[in-house]
Amino acid sequence: MPMCGSFILTRFYPALLRPRSRIYTGLDASYSLPGVKVGYYDYPALPMISRPFNGQLAARALLPHVRSFAPDLVFS
């Protein structure tokens, strides 16, 4: 049976710059389904400032992990 993978990507704000309008709850990094490899990855962000660059920052954080997993197909 082929291995499936899931890559969870979240923004990481510095503590002093976290937007007050957003509730921050931790992710359960131990959660996974049988036969699914799950990885949790953060990328840096600054409220309002990094918005135009979030895609590039996210790709830089995630791409090495996706390449090492070497999937046949990627859904986004």
Side-chain angles (χ1 to χ4, degrees):
M1 180 172 173
M3 176 63 102
C4 295
S6 179
F7 302 90
I8 311 299
L9 194 60
T10 59
R11 291 181 301 262
F12 173 77
Y13 292 110
L16 295 174
L17 298 177
R18 287 185 181 160
R20 293 183 188 146
S21 61
R22 187 161 182 230
I23 297 173
Y24 291 89
T25 58
L27 295 174
D28 182 7
S30 65
Y31 177 78
S32 68
L33 298 170
V36 178
K37 179 183 175 185
V38 180
Y40 295 89
Y41 308 101
D42 294 328
Y43 68 93
L46 297 172
M48 302 295 288
I49 297 169
S50 66
R51 185 169 289 180
F53 312 107
N54 282 347
Q56 293 169 335
L57 294 169
R60 188 179 348 165
L62 189 60
L63 193 56
H65 303 288
V66 173
R67 282 190 175 148
S68 69
F69 187 72
D72 293 327
L73 183 64
V74 175
F75 289 109
S76 61

